[in-house]
Amino acid sequence: MELFYRSTRNNEERVTASQAILQGLAADGGLFVPEEIPNLAVSMDALKKMSYQETAYEVMRLFFTDFTREELAHCINSAYDDKFDDDTIAPLRAAGGAYYLELFHGATIAFKDMALSILPYLMITAARKNHVTNDIVILTATSGDTGKAALAGFAEVEGTKIIVFYPKDGVSPIQQKQMVTQKGDNTLVVGIHGNFDEAQTGVKEMFSDKALAEEMWAKGYQFSSANSINIGRLVPQIAYYVYAYAKMLAGGELETGEPINVAVPTGNFGNILAAYYAKAMGVPIGKLICASNENKVLFDFFRSGSYDRNREFILTSSPSMDILISSNLERLIYQIAGRDAGVNRAFMETLSTMGSYTITDEMREQLKDFYGNYASEAETAATIKGLYEQTGYVIDPHTAVASCVYEKYKKDTDDRTKTVIVSTASPYKFTRTVMTAIDPSYDTKGDFELVDELNRLSGVKVPKAIEEIRTAPIRHKKVCEVSEMPKVVKEFLGL
Ligand SMILES: *Cc1c(COP(=O)(O)O)cnc(C)c1O
């Protein structure tokens, strides 16, 4: 049966999965949602024996119904291969009374790889399917993790080009080095004299520039987006929740049907929404524990029913969660508004004009599966140190936020359901934060000295992504003003 997608902001548009992937965002600014969430079509007993790739196929075939079996298998096998340094792709690690689901074994050692290593293949397949002959140009602004994961995913993929803008002085030294050493003739990385918001605004302006679109079309190019609102990023993320549950069952950690809770370090609400979809598909998940850092918009929302972005933006040690508008929350709002696009659109309009909205009591009733809380900077550091001293296991600051919130949840509720804490980045990506949490005196050391110290202390092999950038030549030296961004894009595309 074919599954179609609708916009969260109008009831008219109806597109196929491949069209939704190609477009990214609906023309009315809404997000594409499947008309219904399919149930898993195979039993947990069967899933228990499956590899990550087989599990991913079982999930994706239900959502991407206009892809053939061969097409999907090709996308999955090209994405989840030896770019990952662990054969199981997403290993589970028991520590401190919980199960850490490590989603950082891909090319850029952050969980963005789980979706961005497959998105390029899905997009190219979708383009062919819809008779698009233009090359796809991915344009992205990044505050660090997304840019590198998208670059790694799209590098050398035929029929695509990728251009990434990052704030020259706004990313960590390791993040910058990862990006400017990127290989691939179809890649361009540019630092801007400005902050992330300015980079983001510059990119959005180019997306809606009709004259630029026409010039590009004439040369055989069109833009697309690798942003986390793309359904081609959301659906692949459902797979690891199904996989984690099945592996716990296979390992004898769970009885048949026994529920688990999941604790997710949350920014744009994509990862935890994938868990919500997994639950709707039939995975026995109890509570969805939504963990925020000091930018605790979501904590306040779950507590009060009011979403309010009118507040100071705080720079924290978990930068990938420094966000005041969690874009993917719109899909949940649409769902709990009874899949009424008009009602959802009104909330989103209020958000854009007033910066806030308040949902109804009936809608709040449907949020009972969620628990929201947050971790302060001091609590995050104490969690890294505490877990290390207790177990020897070292986690990154994003994961630590989830771990800390999970402890708060247990205190609040006495719920002792087995819990999966989603581990979204390797500690090697945030070495300085991690090491100084364990001992502040490390702060005097250099970045790569700290890498070696972390290796000594954790016994975890230094990932290839870090070894490579120690000596890799810098390939991208371009830096520009915000106003020059379109010029840089045109030069690269030969317009
Ligand atoms: C992007 C990111 C997050 C937040 O994920 P969302 O899907 O945006 O909620 C958490 N941790 C890390 C390391 C990330 O890169």
Side-chain angles (χ1 to χ4, degrees):
M1 204 187 62
E2 179 140 27
L3 185 62
F4 289 93
Y5 290 77
R6 285 184 185 277
S7 164
T8 50
R9 297 195 192 175
N10 82 73
N11 291 318
E12 267 76 72
E13 205 173 343
R14 189 167 184 255
V15 299
T16 61
S18 65
Q19 287 165 339
I21 290 169
L22 264 183
Q23 281 187 48
L25 204 64
D28 57 18
L31 312 194
F32 287 116
V33 279
E35 286 190 328
E36 60 181 284
I37 310 280
N39 287 319
L40 281 170
V42 286
S43 68
M44 270 297 161
D45 256 346
L47 286 162
K48 257 164 49 175
K49 302 181 196 87
M50 288 188 192
S51 66
Y52 190 84
Q53 293 80 354
E54 288 164 339
T55 311
Y57 176 75
E58 284 305 327
V59 171
M60 288 186 219
R61 75 182 177 92
L62 302 173
F63 284 93
F64 300 153
T65 52
D66 65 332
F67 286 65
T68 65
R69 173 184 254 281
E70 289 69 33
E71 285 169 342
L72 265 189
H74 169 72
C75 293
I76 289 168
N77 294 330
S78 307
Y80 306 115
D81 62 4
D82 59 11
K83 289 191 285 299
F84 284 75
D85 67 9
D86 190 296
D87 289 344
T88 65
I89 307 296
L92 270 169
R93 163 92 194 236
Y99 299 83
Y100 287 84
L101 178 61
E102 295 186 350
L103 301 180
F104 54 74
H105 289 274
T108 76
I109 59 176
F111 103 99
K112 302 288 192 294
D113 290 326
M114 300 304 293
L116 279 165
S117 49
I118 191 163
L119 183 70
Y121 298 100
L122 293 172
M123 207 172 256
I124 285 302
T125 311
R128 282 198 208 108
K129 205 178 273 304
N130 290 281
H131 312 293
V132 171
T133 51
N134 287 335
D135 276 9
I136 306 287
V137 180
I138 300 291
L139 194 60
T140 301
T142 186
S143 57
D145 285 343
T146 299
K148 179 61 191 184
L151 283 162
F154 281 93
E156 322 273 21
V157 174
E158 215 176 303
T160 71
K161 293 201 186 304
I162 173 160
I163 305 169
V164 171
F165 291 98
Y166 71 95
K168 180 85 183 66
D169 301 314
V171 299
S172 84
I174 290 197
Q175 286 175 321
Q176 173 160 355
K177 188 103 198 263
Q178 275 191 304
M179 287 192 281
V180 297
T181 55
Q182 178 64 48
K183 294 183 204 150
D185 289 342
N186 67 334
T187 67
L188 178 69
V189 179
V190 187
I192 62 151
H193 294 300
N195 62 27
F196 170 67
D197 275 339
E198 289 169 298
Q200 176 93 315
T201 307
V203 162
K204 279 194 183 150
E205 279 170 9
M206 280 188 268
F207 266 117
S208 53
D209 183 339
K210 295 235 160 57
L212 179 59
E214 275 169 29
E215 261 185 88
M216 288 181 49
W217 197 277
K219 282 268 182 175
Y221 293 118
Q222 69 187 73
F223 280 136
S224 191
S225 162
N227 192 297
S228 83
I229 48 83
N230 195 311
I231 197 80
R233 278 186 62 179
L234 186 59
V235 170
Q237 294 179 355
I238 300 170
Y240 48 73
Y241 290 103
V242 179
Y243 183 70
Y245 187 89
K247 289 302 131 180
M248 284 175 75
L249 203 56
E253 311 285 350
L254 297 172
E255 305 289 334
T256 303
E258 183 181 342
I260 57 165
N261 293 336
V262 295
V264 187
T266 297
N268 221 3
F269 210 75
N271 200 350
I272 196 164
L273 187 73
Y276 175 77
Y277 280 10
K279 178 175 170 127
M281 292 182 82
V283 180
I285 293 174
K287 285 282 180 200
L288 302 148
I289 300 168
C290 176
S292 303
N293 65 23
E294 289 181 2
N295 294 293
K296 56 183 182 58
V297 197
L298 288 165
F299 164 67
D300 293 335
F301 170 70
F302 284 117
R303 208 183 38 172
S304 69
S306 291
Y307 193 94
D308 187 357
R309 64 150 302 177
N310 299 308
R311 62 182 75 205
E312 199 193 333
F313 181 88
I314 301 166
L315 288 172
T316 73
S317 59
S318 46
S320 303
M321 296 157 65
D322 289 344
I323 203 157
L324 294 181
I325 297 195
S326 299
S327 315
N328 271 298
L329 185 68
E330 180 169 346
R331 289 190 166 107
L332 181 67
I333 298 295
Y334 172 80
Q335 181 70 30
I336 62 175
R339 302 178 75 84
D340 185 325
V343 172
N344 174 66
R345 190 176 59 236
F347 283 126
M348 295 306 134
E349 273 163 10
T350 320
L351 178 63
S352 105
T353 52
M354 314 292 291
S356 69
Y357 60 85
T358 302
I359 61 171
T360 64
D361 288 344
E362 294 77 54
M363 290 169 73
R364 283 186 74 184
E365 270 297 297
Q366 297 174 69
L367 294 178
K368 287 208 173 111
D369 291 339
F370 287 91
Y371 168 90
N373 213 326
Y374 74 102
S376 70
E377 286 293 274
E379 288 169 332
T380 305
T383 301
I384 295 172
K385 183 180 167 75
L387 188 66
Y388 168 66
E389 287 177 349
Q390 186 199 336
T391 67
Y393 186 51
V394 182
I395 54 176
D396 101 289
H398 302 78
T399 310
V401 167
S403 184
C404 174
V405 165
Y406 170 55
E407 291 303 325
K408 291 186 179 183
Y409 171 77
K410 278 199 293 189
K411 254 203 203 104
D412 279 359
T413 62
D414 273 329
D415 181 1
R416 290 294 178 271
T417 304
K418 287 177 186 140
T419 296
V420 168
I421 295 173
V422 179
S423 185
T424 50
S426 159
Y428 282 104
K429 196 152 192 175
F430 300 93
T431 321
R432 183 165 300 277
T433 304
V434 168
M435 293 304 281
T436 54
I438 290 170
D439 182 349
S441 70
Y442 280 121
D443 207 21
T444 55
K445 303 213 182 222
D447 288 316
F448 284 100
E449 271 179 283
L450 287 177
V451 165
D452 294 328
E453 279 294 322
L454 175 55
N455 170 249
R456 197 185 52 74
L457 175 143
S458 66
V460 174
K461 195 165 165 266
V462 179
K464 203 165 105 213
I466 297 290
E467 287 299 358
E468 274 173 5
I469 59 168
R470 267 189 216 254
T471 52
I474 300 204
R475 297 189 66 252
H476 301 273
K477 297 196 179 122
K478 206 174 215 25
V479 177
C480 77
E481 300 300 326
V482 176
S483 60
E484 293 170 329
M485 289 168 64
K487 194 175 120 226
V488 169
V489 168
K490 286 186 188 183
E491 269 170 20
F492 183 59
L493 297 177
L495 305 183

